[in-house]
């Protein structure tokens, strides 16, 4: 739930990136960034052998800033479980939200999705995110490199769809390297390959597989086998491109380091999952406190409001009151207010080691046993 801002500097004269700026979004929307609201499941469609598209009724025109997602919440065995999902519904669609969800054998939320029946309801909050694009920004970019792993394709698809359907983006060159274990695991395959076929001069599609594919590549896509390597990126990614990476934390971390090694600076790289840069810190007396007290869980429980929010993570006590205003999904942070939020931080929303560095300015003491 600690989403960290990255401020990207685009190369001069050819692009400009706006981060932390939200596109105009209706305050009358059925969604809310402050609370979870319930939406009814309208239909379920099989996408692959282990994924489905869940369509929820939306009594309005659906709009979502690019780069943003929703937080889904389900009550599972008496415990609220939350996961982030990027809808694949194009903005300005009337009456529905579509989520592509892969079912994992031990995935609490994906199993919950899989158990839903048409007519059941699920709660959502959002849009949540820390950057967005406009058509004016995008059409200035000469090229965009994209790397996705598994379900990390959904925010990439969201941006691709916008680029393919928005006037003024015709000159943007796009390359997608999409990693999966096998050909059968590819999500949104028909849509991706249709774009590669219809816009070969603009969009290059490369599939990267762990296992040798059981089929031959079509005329409009390229098959590669193995892992992300400097050679692979040098072959397909322009070193002056803006680059978007979405997938497991380890994949994003490896991809950025490889890009750095071939001369692509981190300023031209955006990772959707990996928290890598520090948020702007607002110092106050709690943050500046160097005494490092010990607090009992009962004492922590007294600080559970938006104006006074403490939480425990791995036996360390943090005063995150000031961070709530910096975080677009502050309501998610409140789920851990006044209690031990270790499971939320490490299980519900797994974080890298970088995230612990981001928490350090808010540390006020240890949990007293």
């Amino acid at each position: 739930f600690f989403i960290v801002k990255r401020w990207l500097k685009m190369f001069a004269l050819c692009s400009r990136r706006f981060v932390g700026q939200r596109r105009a979004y209706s305050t009358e929307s059925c969604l809310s960034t402050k609370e979870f609201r319930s939406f009814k499941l309208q239909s379920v469609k099989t996408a692959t052998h282990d994924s489905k598209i869940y369509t929820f009724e939306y009594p309005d025109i659906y709009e979502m800033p690019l780069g943003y997602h929703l937080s889904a919440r389900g009550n599972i065995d008496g415990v609220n479980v939350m996961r982030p999902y990027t809808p694949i519904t194009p903005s300005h669609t009337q009456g529905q939200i579509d989520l592509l969800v892969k079912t994992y054998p031990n995935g609490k939320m994906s199993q919950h999705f899989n158990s839903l029946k048409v007519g059941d309801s699920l709660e959502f909050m959002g849009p949540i995110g820390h950057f967005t694009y406009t058509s004016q920004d995008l059409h200035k970019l000469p090229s965009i490199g994209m790397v996705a792993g598994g379900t990390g394709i959904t925010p990439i698809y969201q941006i691709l769809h916008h680029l393919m359907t928005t006037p003024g983006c015709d000159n943007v060159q796009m390359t997608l390297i999409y990693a999966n274990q096998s050909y059968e695991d590819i999500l949104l395959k028909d849509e991706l390959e249709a774009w590669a076929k219809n816009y070969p001069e603009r969009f290059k599609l490369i599939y990267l597989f762990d296992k040798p594919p059981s089929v031959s590549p079509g005329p409009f896509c390229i098959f590669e086998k193995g892992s992300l390597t400097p050679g692979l990126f040098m072959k397909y990614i322009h070193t002056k491109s803006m680059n978007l990476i979405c997938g497991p934390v380890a994949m994003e971390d490896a991809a950025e380091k490889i890009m750095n090694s071939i001369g692509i600076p981190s300023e031209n790289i955006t990772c959707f999952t990996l928290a890598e840069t520090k948020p702007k810190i607002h110092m106050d007396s709690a943050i500046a406190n160097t005494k490092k007290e010990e607090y009992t869980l009962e004492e922590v429980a007294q600080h559970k409001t938006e104006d006074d929010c403490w939480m425990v993570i791995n036996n360390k006590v943090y005063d995150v009151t000031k961070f709530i205003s910096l975080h677009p999904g502050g309501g998610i942070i409140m789920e851990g207010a006044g209690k031990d939020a270790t499971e939320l931080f490490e299980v519900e929303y797994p974080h890298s080691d970088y995230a612990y560095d981001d928490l350090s300015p808010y540390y006020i003491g240890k949990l007293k046993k």
Side-chain angles (χ1 to χ4, degrees), residues 254-274:
E256 177 166 19
K257 289 177 179 177
I258 294 170
M259 285 186 177
N260 291 160
S261 74
I262 63 172
I264 300 175
S266 291
E267 289 77 15
N268 288 1
I269 302 170
T270 298
C271 294
F272 283 77
T273 307
L274 181 61

Side-chain angles (χ1 to χ4, degrees), residues 179-183 185 208-213 224-228:
N180 283 282
Q181 289 188 345
S182 67
Y183 185 78
D185 293 320
L208 179 64
F209 301 112
D210 292 344
K211 306 172 184 177
E224 294 280 0
K225 179 182 176 296
S227 58
L228 300 175

Side-chain angles (χ1 to χ4, degrees), residues 189-200:
K189 178 172 65 69
D190 291 344
E191 292 84 348
L192 295 174
E193 294 184 5
W195 286 331
K197 176 181 178 181
N198 295 330
Y199 305 98

Side-chain angles (χ1 to χ4, degrees), residues 91-316:
S91 279
H92 314 302
T93 297
Q94 176 69 50
Q96 67 186 63
I97 299 176
D98 304 294
L99 296 178
L100 175 58
V101 180
K102 182 174 181 177
T103 304
Y104 295 94
N106 298 316
K108 291 182 180 180
M109 182 56 83
S110 66
Q111 289 290 343
H112 184 65
F113 264 98
N114 198 41
S115 71
L116 293 176
K117 296 179 175 56
V118 171
D120 290 346
S121 294
L122 193 64
E123 294 182 318
F124 296 99
M125 182 173 70
I128 297 170
H130 56 293
F131 66 89
T132 188
Y133 304 84
T134 66
S135 298
Q136 184 178 5
D137 304 324
L138 287 169
H139 82 261
K140 296 179 181 178
L141 298 173
S143 60
I144 302 177
M146 305 176 184
V147 180
T151 55
I153 191 61
T154 53
I156 300 297
Y157 174 83
Q158 183 193 66
I159 293 169
L160 273 171
H161 187 279
H162 183 78
L163 287 165
M164 293 297 185
T165 59
T166 302
C169 296
D170 298 0
N171 295 323
V172 182
Q173 303 296 309
M174 294 159 284
T175 299
L176 170 62
I177 299 175
Y178 185 19
N180 283 282
Q181 289 188 345
S182 67
Y183 185 78
E184 291 71 28
D185 293 320
I186 296 173
L187 302 173
L188 299 166
K189 178 172 65 69
D190 291 344
E191 292 84 348
L192 295 174
E193 294 184 5
W195 286 331
K197 176 181 178 181
N198 295 330
Y199 305 98
E201 72 288 352
R202 295 180 57 200
F203 179 49
K204 184 177 293 184
L205 176 61
I206 301 98
Y207 292 134
L208 179 64
F209 301 112
D210 292 344
K211 306 172 184 177
S214 56
V215 298
S216 299
F220 304 103
C221 60
I222 301 168
F223 282 7
E224 294 280 0
K225 179 182 176 296
S227 58
L228 300 175
T229 63
L232 183 71
F233 285 161
M234 291 177 69
K235 187 175 180 180
Y236 297 113
I237 301 292
H238 195 286
T239 55
K240 298 297 183 182
S241 292
M242 182 181 77
N243 298 281
L244 309 176
I245 308 171
C246 190
V249 168
M251 188 210 81
E252 290 189 358
D253 187 32
E256 177 166 19
K257 289 177 179 177
I258 294 170
M259 285 186 177
N260 291 160
S261 74
I262 63 172
I264 300 175
S266 291
E267 289 77 15
N268 288 1
I269 302 170
T270 298
C271 294
F272 283 77
T273 307
L274 181 61
E276 295 175 283
T277 58
K278 308 298 184 288
K280 183 178 179 182
I281 302 301
H282 290 235
M283 292 293 183
D284 65 5
S285 58
I287 295 175
N289 178 14
T290 59
K291 192 175 180 181
K292 307 305 179 193
E293 300 282 358
E294 287 189 337
Y295 302 94
T296 65
L297 201 54
E298 289 74 17
E299 289 175 304
V300 173
Q302 297 174 18
H303 305 270
K304 56 182 179 181
T305 68
E306 290 190 5
D307 297 324
D308 181 19
C309 181
W310 292 14
M311 61 178 56
V312 176
I313 299 175
N314 286 327
N315 297 315
K316 294 182 179 180

Side-chain angles (χ1 to χ4, degrees), residues 292-358:
K292 307 305 179 193
E293 300 282 358
E294 287 189 337
Y295 302 94
T296 65
L297 201 54
E298 289 74 17
E299 289 175 304
V300 173
Q302 297 174 18
H303 305 270
K304 56 182 179 181
T305 68
E306 290 190 5
D307 297 324
D308 181 19
C309 181
W310 292 14
M311 61 178 56
V312 176
I313 299 175
N314 286 327
N315 297 315
K316 294 182 179 180
V317 181
Y318 299 90
D319 181 349
V320 295
T321 308
K322 294 296 182 181
F323 187 71
I324 295 175
S325 63
L326 303 178
H327 188 278
I332 295 178
I333 294 178
M334 292 305 298
E335 293 289 334
K339 57 187 178 184
D340 191 329
T342 303
E343 184 174 354
L344 281 174
F345 192 75
E346 295 190 339
V347 179
E348 305 299 341
Y349 287 86
H351 286 69
S352 69
D353 291 340
Y354 296 99
Y356 289 97
D357 294 335
D358 299 325

